[in-house]
């Protein structure tokens, strides 16, 4: 189902009352979980999932392979491998060695399941090691071992009863290994992970894509095995063990990163709860949405929500509602230029040109503070298109606008602003420097040297010091 307002984007929410489908760009992100209201009627929306809206996991492999390559993860991989190669193997074949192996693998898979869980909740980039180590996943490796033991017991009993049934169960459990890990992440239950019916349910929920998951898990296992053989043949003794374990950890962490993304991609189908803000962020970052991304400096929740709702209201012809939510958003985020831009569009659409002037009067001083050279010209010319007699009331704004106009087609407007400033603010302290700036525009952009000379001759009487010297030199150059 496609979004009504972005036809090229898959919908993730549906309003049964309005019969309208929305993508994440059309729905404010203040609500959590699945309790999201329709912008048009405020009825709760039905989630449609995001499996078709984000980049499929099989096209996102580069992200998974890069994940363990950041410095903290590489240090962790090296440290765990060093402990194993220099300490644990020295105990040989003994009960102590067995216990140390169990503890080491428990730590490794605890980290692996933490990677999987964070990725499943939508956190696709590495943040910091402390967060990874602080994630509680109930020692999933122990549950994985126990689930494997239960599965082995079921297969043994099935083989005792029927060879064909035993073989079929064996093939099912091999194919369902990725599903077992997914179940441990979603359900956190040992018995769910060992339940063949739950495995089949997870495989069915993911659909044909599960076959790709299984193929990649097999490839990760084969890569680990191949790297172990290769390191053993190249390096001697403990160095070979160190390198072997580093490759083992790299491929393990990469695989669990992929499995976590699979859970995130199919979280709706799997019944797994994901924070909506993470959904929005990931669909925008990793999705196929064609909507414009907001810049970080304008990323307040209130501002973005006002923009989202207003865009829907405008397309529905509900202009008063659009103006109301945008005014509320602007009160909370007075420097959000996207809100100003949408208000200009709305006021032009409904013919409220006087409100465009008031809005411009409010925005231009802020743009001067931000030194937003291009944006201040865009806002000014946009209002000028509907109000040709408009002049900013603040002389500092006019000063900045004039000095921003450096193109040939802008000289006329710069001179118009200068004449207004000369008429209404003759005592403004920068009149001399502005006349010099305009004179250079006339001479260099329009080749009107005589007009440039007149401007300098007028302004030179107000100048002093170095500015006056420069103006005299330029005047002599013109003549």
């Amino acid at each position: 189902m496609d979004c009504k307002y972005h036809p090229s984007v898959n919908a993730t929410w549906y309003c049964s009352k309005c019969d309208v489908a929305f993508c994440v760009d059309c729905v404010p992100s203040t609500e959590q979980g699945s309790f999201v209201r329709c912008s048009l009627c405020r009825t709760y929306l039905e989630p449609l999932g995001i499996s078709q809206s984000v980049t499929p996991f099989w096209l996102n492999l580069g992200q998974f392979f890069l994940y363990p390559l950041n410095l903290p993860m590489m240090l962790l991989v090296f440290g765990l491998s060093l402990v194993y190669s220099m300490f644990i193997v020295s105990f040989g074949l003994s009960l102590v060695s067995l216990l140390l192996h169990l503890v080491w693998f428990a730590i490794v898979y605890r980290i692996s399941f933490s990677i999987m869980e964070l990725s499943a909740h939508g956190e696709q980039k590495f943040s910091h090691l402390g967060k990874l180590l602080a994630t509680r996943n109930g020692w999933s490796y122990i549950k994985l071992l126990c689930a494997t033991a239960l599965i082995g017991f079921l297969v043994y009993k099935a083989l005792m009863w029927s060879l064909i049934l035993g073989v079929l169960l064996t093939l099912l459990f091999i194919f369902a290994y990725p599903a077992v890990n997914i179940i441990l992440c979603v359900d956190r239950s040992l018995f769910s992970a060992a339940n063949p019916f739950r495995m089949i349910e997870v495989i069915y929920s993911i659909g044909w894509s599960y076959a790709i998951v299984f193929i990649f898990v097999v490839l990760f296992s084969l890569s680990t095995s191949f790297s172990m053989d290769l390191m053993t043949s190249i390096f001697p003794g403990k160095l070979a063990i160190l390198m072997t374990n580093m490759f083992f950890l790299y491929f393990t962490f990469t695989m669990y990163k992929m499995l976590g993304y699979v859970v995130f991609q199919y979280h709706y189908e799997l019944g797994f709860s994901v924070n909506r803000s993470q959904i929005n962020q990931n669909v925008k970052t990793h999705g196929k949405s064609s909507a414009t991304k907001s810049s970080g400096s304008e990323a307040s929740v209130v501002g973005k929500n006002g923009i989202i709702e207003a865009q829907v209201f405008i397309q529905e012809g509900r202009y008063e509602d659009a103006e109301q939510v945008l005014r509320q958003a602007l009160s909370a985020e007075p420097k959000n230029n996207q809100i100003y831009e949408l208000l200009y569009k709305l006021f032009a659409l409904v013919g409220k040109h006087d409100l465009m002037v008031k809005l411009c009067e409010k925005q231009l001083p802020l743009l001067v503070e931000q030194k937003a050279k291009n944006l201040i010209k865009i806002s000014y010319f946009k209002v000028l298109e509907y109000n040709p007699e408009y002049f900013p009331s603040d002389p500092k704004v006019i000063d900045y606008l004039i000095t921003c106009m450096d193109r040939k087609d802008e000289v006329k407007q710069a001179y118009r602003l200068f004449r207004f400033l000369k008429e209404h603010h003759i005592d403004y302290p920068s009149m001399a420097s502005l006349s010099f700036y305009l004179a250079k525009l006339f001479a260099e952009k329009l080749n009107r040297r005589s007009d440039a000379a007149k401007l300098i001759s007028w302004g030179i009487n107000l100048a002093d010091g170095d500015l006056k010297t420069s103006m005299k030199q330029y005047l002599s150059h013109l003549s």
Side-chain angles (χ1 to χ4, degrees):
M1 183 182 294
D2 292 331
C3 172
K4 177 180 179 180
Y5 304 106
H6 303 94
S8 61
V9 182
N10 288 301
T12 54
W13 306 93
Y14 175 72
C15 178
S16 56
K17 184 176 180 180
C18 299
D19 191 26
V20 172
F22 301 92
C23 67
V24 292
D25 288 334
C26 295
V27 180
S29 57
T30 50
E31 299 93 343
Q32 303 295 325
S34 298
F35 300 103
V36 185
R37 293 181 183 271
C38 174
S39 297
L40 303 174
C41 68
R42 309 311 296 167
T43 301
Y44 284 114
L45 298 177
E46 300 172 17
L48 299 175
I50 61 165
S51 58
Q52 303 303 315
S53 299
V54 296
T55 304
F57 67 89
W58 59 86
L59 296 179
N60 223 5
L61 290 175
Q63 178 194 355
F64 309 144
F65 280 105
L66 288 173
Y67 183 83
L69 295 181
N70 61 78
L71 183 60
M73 288 295 294
M74 291 174 67
L75 291 174
L76 180 64
V77 166
F78 178 76
L80 287 170
S81 302
L82 191 65
V83 168
Y84 187 92
S85 60
M86 301 301 293
F87 179 69
I88 295 178
V89 295
S90 62
F91 285 90
L93 297 174
S94 64
L95 180 60
V96 174
S97 175
L98 178 63
L99 291 174
L100 289 174
H101 273 81
L102 183 63
V103 171
W104 189 83
F105 277 102
I107 293 171
V108 168
Y109 279 91
R110 182 185 183 280
I111 295 169
S112 300
F113 274 95
S114 295
I115 293 171
M116 183 180 179
E117 183 175 328
L118 290 173
S119 183
H121 280 289
E123 197 167 301
Q124 303 308 328
K125 291 184 178 180
F126 178 83
S127 53
H128 55 85
L129 202 57
K131 187 173 185 178
L132 190 67
L133 298 175
T135 303
R136 303 297 176 189
N137 49 52
W139 292 98
S140 297
Y141 175 60
I142 305 299
K143 294 179 181 178
L144 183 63
L145 280 179
C146 294
T148 304
L150 282 173
I151 289 169
F153 178 75
L154 289 174
V155 169
Y156 171 76
K157 286 295 185 181
L159 285 170
M160 295 291 293
W161 187 64
S162 168
L163 178 63
I164 295 175
L165 179 60
V167 171
L168 289 175
L169 272 179
T170 302
L171 293 174
L172 169 64
F173 289 136
I174 292 173
F175 185 65
Y177 178 75
V180 171
N181 286 272
I182 289 172
I183 293 168
L184 285 173
C185 177
V186 174
D187 296 352
R188 297 195 176 199
S189 168
L190 166 63
F191 295 104
S192 289
N195 184 347
F197 298 105
R198 179 61 175 143
M199 296 177 197
I200 294 171
E201 181 184 5
V202 167
I203 294 171
Y204 177 78
S205 297
I206 297 176
W208 65 269
S209 302
Y210 182 84
I212 303 177
V213 177
F214 176 75
I215 291 171
F216 278 124
V217 169
V218 171
L219 290 175
F220 280 125
S221 300
L222 291 176
S223 299
T224 302
S225 178
F226 173 77
S227 63
M228 287 180 176
D229 293 338
L230 182 63
M231 294 302 105
T232 304
S233 64
I234 295 177
F235 298 103
K238 290 186 176 181
L239 183 57
I241 298 174
L242 174 67
M243 297 301 296
T244 295
N245 277 279
M246 288 183 69
F247 274 97
F248 164 73
L249 292 174
Y250 172 77
F251 285 116
T252 299
F253 292 160
T254 302
M255 181 182 75
Y256 276 90
K257 178 65 180 173
M258 182 196 73
L259 290 175
Y261 188 89
V262 170
V263 174
F264 171 76
Q265 182 179 347
Y266 295 96
H267 74 273
Y268 174 69
E269 291 82 354
L270 295 169
F272 185 71
S273 178
V274 178
N275 186 299
R276 275 213 62 242
S277 62
Q278 291 286 359
I279 293 177
N280 279 14
Q281 180 183 347
N282 281 279
V283 171
K284 289 176 184 293
T285 305
H286 303 289
K288 297 175 282 187
S289 168
S290 60
T292 303
K293 298 177 178 64
S294 299
S295 65
S297 63
E298 298 174 336
S300 79
V301 173
V302 175
K304 286 196 298 183
N305 290 345
I307 291 169
I308 291 168
E309 286 194 315
Q311 287 172 332
V312 173
F313 287 146
I314 289 172
Q315 293 194 53
E316 292 289 326
R318 293 170 55 176
Y319 302 132
E320 291 184 2
D321 292 329
E323 182 178 344
Q324 182 181 356
V325 296
L326 285 173
R327 286 188 180 278
Q328 291 172 352
L330 194 61
S331 297
E333 190 77 7
K335 294 184 179 181
N336 190 326
N337 292 315
Q338 284 186 308
I339 301 174
Y340 284 100
E341 182 181 349
L342 201 54
L343 275 170
Y344 286 131
K345 176 183 176 181
L346 177 62
F347 292 152
L349 188 64
V350 298
K352 295 183 178 181
H353 301 157
D354 56 330
L355 292 182
M356 293 181 73
V357 171
K358 292 181 180 179
L359 187 66
C360 195
E361 284 288 293
K362 181 177 181 179
Q363 186 192 22
L364 294 189
L366 298 174
L367 295 177
V368 172
E369 290 179 12
Q370 298 168 19
K371 299 187 184 304
K373 179 179 177 181
N374 291 324
L375 194 54
I376 195 170
K377 290 195 293 185
I378 291 171
S379 297
Y380 172 69
F381 284 123
K382 189 179 298 180
V383 174
L384 205 62
E385 181 181 347
Y386 295 95
N387 297 270
E389 301 303 318
Y390 168 62
F391 291 95
S393 59
D394 188 342
K396 291 182 180 179
V397 171
I398 296 177
D399 183 349
Y400 189 76
L401 263 172
I402 292 173
T403 56
C404 288
M405 295 181 183
D406 51 7
R407 293 168 47 184
K408 183 178 180 179
D409 59 344
E410 295 171 347
V411 177
K412 182 179 179 181
Q413 282 299 333
Y415 183 59
R416 173 179 173 270
L417 288 168
F418 176 76
R419 284 192 294 111
F420 178 83
L421 197 63
K422 183 179 174 183
E423 183 180 346
H424 294 88
H425 303 279
I426 188 62
D427 295 329
Y428 184 67
S430 298
M431 292 301 294
S433 60
L434 287 174
S435 68
F436 188 28
Y437 178 80
L438 269 174
K440 288 190 283 187
L441 287 182
F442 271 93
E444 297 166 13
K445 300 294 183 181
L446 304 181
N447 197 26
R448 291 168 56 178
R449 300 169 68 89
S450 61
D451 291 329
K454 290 177 183 178
L455 274 169
I456 292 183
S457 297
W458 178 86
I460 205 168
N461 298 315
L462 303 176
D464 54 19
D466 293 339
L467 176 61
K468 191 165 189 173
T469 303
S470 298
M471 292 175 76
K472 285 181 178 180
Q473 291 174 349
Y474 198 85
L475 183 61
S476 62
H477 170 71
L478 290 175
S479 59

